[in-house]
Structures are given as C-alpha cells and as structure tokens.
C-alpha cells in the first residue's frame, strides 16, 4: 500500500514539474521567414513572435508595426544577441500609439497568422507575414536581453555605479 502511495506521489511531482516548466518558445512556431516563404499555409495558427520594432503606421481601420524578429527567452523577451528570424507585421483594427511603440523598442506579439502582405525593406521587395496582435507587450528600454546567463562574481565591496 505505501509503495502505491509513494508511486502516486512521485507521479504527481513529475506531472507538476512538467506543468510549471519553461515555455517552449518559438521552436513550436514557424519563424517569420518560414511563414513568408509558405504563404498562407499557417493561416490561423497562434504564434508568439518578438523582436525590434523597425516601423509602424496608423491607417484608417488598421494600425500596424513592422518588427525584425529574434528568438525569445523563457519570459517571451527577444534575444538580440542571436541571429534574426525575419520580419513580420503585427496589426490591430484599433489605434496603436506609435510614439510608445517606436522604432528601436523591443516588443512581443501573440495572435493568429493572417497570410502575407507585400511591402518593401528599403528598396527591396519583401513578403511580410501578418500577425493579428491579440496580445502586444512592450519591453522596458533599459533592459538588455541575452541568451547568455548573467553571472557576476565579486568580493562584496563596491562604491556606487555599475561596472
């Protein structure tokens, strides 16, 4: 009887560990470059992409942000020290404050894919995957996101400032 209870306890711990593990990240989703190359194959699929905003515009009936995508960390923040994954446009059928969501800011977007849209990057034609922004997160400007752990060693003595 106690063996059965121990087994159930271990199974519960194992399942709890799975339930609260780190998010799977962008590996579960096509990258923006893959979505652009395959046209509408991924239409309706919910994805979470993030990166650096390169532009945006409010138009009649729709606002959009153009984002250069990067892999995301466990929190969903873009990892800017890794290679980019392509560009995408996130849109809403409501106003987006482009002064807040300005070029150079980091953002993460979640929602369904809605096909592609032709546009330009500089003078080059580009097919942008369209992501309907159901959730839109703007990251603080003063935080640097990296795929490397932030480990520091010291002797515990310091005088003001940061090294």
């Amino acid at each position: 009887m106690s063996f059965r209870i121990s087994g159930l306890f271990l199974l519960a711990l194992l399942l709890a560990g799975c339930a609260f593990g780190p998010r799977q990240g962008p590996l579960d989703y096509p990258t923006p470059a893959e979505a652009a190359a395959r046209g509408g194959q991924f239409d309706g699929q919910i994805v979470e992409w993030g990166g650096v905003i390169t532009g945006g515009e409010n138009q009649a009936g729709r606002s959009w942000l153009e984002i250069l995508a990067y892999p995301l960390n466990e929190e969903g923040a873009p990892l800017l020290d890794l290679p980019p994954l392509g560009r995408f446009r996130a849109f809403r059928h409501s106003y987006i404050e482009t002064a807040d969501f300005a070029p150079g800011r980091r953002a993460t977007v979640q929602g369904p894919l809605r096909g592609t849209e032709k546009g330009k990057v500089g003078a080059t034609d580009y097919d942008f995957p369209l992501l309907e922004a159901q959730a839109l997160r703007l990251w603080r400007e003063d935080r640097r996101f990296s795929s490397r752990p932030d480990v520091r060693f010291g002797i515990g003595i310091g005088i003001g400032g940061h090294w």
Side-chain angles (χ1 to χ4, degrees):
M1 180 74 171
S2 76
F3 177 73
R4 177 182 259 176
I5 293 172
S6 298
L8 288 174
F9 179 72
L10 288 175
L11 180 62
L13 280 177
L14 178 66
L15 291 175
C18 293
F20 298 104
R23 63 188 279 285
Q24 293 300 307
L27 297 178
D28 296 332
Y29 317 122
T31 65
E34 292 168 340
R38 295 187 184 169
Q41 179 180 348
F42 299 106
D43 277 8
Q45 182 175 348
I46 304 287
V47 298
E48 182 179 31
W49 290 340
V52 177
I53 298 170
T54 59
E57 188 176 325
N58 288 299
Q59 301 170 331
R62 182 179 101 153
S63 298
W64 58 266
L65 299 171
E66 184 178 305
I67 299 173
L68 176 59
Y70 286 89
L72 305 178
N73 69 11
E74 298 82 22
E75 297 174 335
L79 297 170
L80 304 183
D81 60 338
L82 295 177
L85 304 172
R87 293 175 184 250
F88 68 97
R89 285 189 177 161
F91 73 92
R92 280 192 165 167
H93 294 291
S94 61
Y95 179 79
I96 296 175
E97 182 53 72
T98 53
D100 292 332
F101 290 87
R105 297 289 308 267
R106 295 173 198 92
T108 300
V109 186
Q110 187 179 48
L113 291 174
R114 301 292 187 209
T116 60
E117 178 175 85
K118 294 199 177 295
K120 290 195 178 279
V121 176
T124 304
D125 292 332
Y126 198 89
D127 289 330
F128 292 93
L130 294 176
L131 173 53
E132 185 177 346
Q134 292 177 342
L136 185 57
R137 180 171 184 183
L138 189 62
W139 296 92
R140 289 182 7 190
E141 289 184 73
D142 61 341
R143 189 165 174 194
R144 172 90 172 112
F145 294 103
S146 172
S147 61
R148 294 183 297 263
D150 187 16
V151 179
R152 296 182 184 139
F153 296 97
I155 59 173
I157 301 172
I159 302 174
H162 297 277
W163 292 90

